[in-house]
Amino acid sequence: MIRSFLLTCSLVFFSACASSSPKNSWQIQSVNAYESHQKYFLQNEDALSKTDLKRAIKYAKQSADFTTLATIYLSECALHVSTLQEDKCQEYLFLEPLVKDAKLHSYYLFLHNNYDAKDIENLPKKYQAFASFVLQRNYANAEKELLATDDLLCKMIMASLIQNSLHVSSIKAIIDEASFYGYKKNVLSWLEFYISKSTDEDERKRSEEKLKVLKDSK
């Protein structure tokens, strides 16, 4: 998800002289480190994840243009949302007055279900139809919209925003897809949520056993 934001920051990977380094190498290194962090976060590799996040932030802090840094903080908030964690995005909010980016602000509001129609226009297109349905309280169509998306991380972010309106079958589908990709962090959180929502006693017991095995594994 961070690439969809950071590519709008006009990254230039090569200059006219092929032998010279790109002038914004700090930004490229920051993006690459964050993408590595995101991969390890989803895989529940916490030590590697934290190391790469520190690297991403360090490179982003080499510039007085805080757009990249603010995007990292906001993307981190979105990652937490995808795992059903509550995150007030305090790091992003601290930087927001120094950045004043309408798209980032609208995305922050989206993550907290506190947006209006004008904010939807600032969101990435993959979220816009879903956000419109949620704003209309049309949760059935919002659920259909999120299930249809090909981007699993975006799907989990959207699902988290209407988690209490989701059908149990949709929660199970998200767990199955996260399992296919090996996104253990999300599998753990969504499996716990599934257990709390399922009314099938046998299915709940199987899910509890799966959760126990996953938590015991290293």
Side-chain angles (χ1 to χ4, degrees):
M1 186 182 66
I2 188 164
R3 183 169 292 279
S4 66
F5 275 121
L6 292 190
L7 285 181
T8 66
C9 299
S10 301
L11 296 185
V12 180
F13 290 90
F14 302 103
S15 65
C17 179
S19 62
S20 64
S21 298
K23 293 182 174 61
N24 65 330
S25 61
W26 63 271
Q27 196 173 39
I28 297 168
Q29 289 172 310
S30 182
V31 172
N32 290 340
Y34 188 85
E35 289 186 337
S36 181
H37 154 70
Q38 177 176 285
K39 178 187 72 173
Y40 287 127
F41 176 91
L42 295 171
Q43 294 173 352
N44 207 40
E45 297 284 356
D46 290 338
L48 294 171
S49 171
K50 289 176 182 177
T51 297
D52 282 334
L53 179 59
K54 288 180 180 178
R55 287 175 53 237
I57 292 171
K58 182 188 76 171
Y59 288 125
K61 285 185 175 180
Q62 290 182 216
S63 171
D65 180 350
F66 290 149
T67 304
T68 300
L69 183 60
T71 303
I72 286 172
Y73 286 142
L74 192 56
S75 295
E76 187 67 4
C77 185
L79 272 182
H80 294 161
V81 169
S82 80
T83 60
L84 301 173
Q85 298 178 49
E86 184 178 351
D87 192 327
K88 296 182 179 179
C89 308
Q90 294 292 347
E91 292 89 351
Y92 166 75
L93 287 176
F94 179 77
L95 286 184
E96 190 177 57
L98 305 177
V99 177
K100 295 183 178 180
D101 186 299
K103 291 185 177 180
L104 292 180
H105 178 67
S106 293
Y107 190 67
Y108 161 77
L109 295 176
F110 171 72
L111 291 176
H112 293 83
N113 275 324
N114 189 31
Y115 57 92
D116 55 30
K118 71 176 185 299
D119 292 307
I120 293 175
E121 298 175 3
N122 289 327
L123 296 176
K125 288 186 178 180
K126 66 185 76 175
Y127 291 120
Q128 290 180 1
F130 168 84
S132 294
F133 286 132
V134 173
L135 202 60
Q136 298 163 19
R137 299 180 185 272
N138 187 340
Y139 299 117
N141 279 347
E143 185 170 355
K144 290 178 183 178
E145 189 68 30
L146 74 89
L147 290 174
T149 186
D150 294 330
D151 189 318
L152 177 55
L153 182 54
C154 293
K155 181 180 295 184
M156 292 184 293
I157 290 169
M158 289 187 282
S160 71
L161 298 179
I162 60 168
Q163 58 185 270
N164 292 320
S165 299
L166 289 174
H167 289 87
V168 173
S169 61
S170 296
I171 302 171
K172 181 67 162 54
I174 290 169
I175 294 169
D176 290 344
E177 193 170 354
S179 295
F180 179 78
Y181 281 92
Y183 289 177
K184 184 177 179 179
K185 178 88 69 178
N186 302 78
V187 170
L188 289 170
S189 58
W190 281 96
L191 195 53
E192 287 184 342
F193 184 63
Y194 177 74
I195 291 168
S196 73
K197 293 294 184 181
S198 178
T199 57
D200 185 323
E201 189 63 28
D202 290 337
E203 184 66 17
R204 285 180 60 187
K205 287 181 179 179
R206 282 194 296 271
S207 297
E208 287 170 353
E209 288 300 316
K210 287 181 180 180
L211 186 62
K212 181 179 179 181
V213 171
L214 289 172
K215 286 185 173 180
D216 288 343
S217 63
K218 296 191 178 181

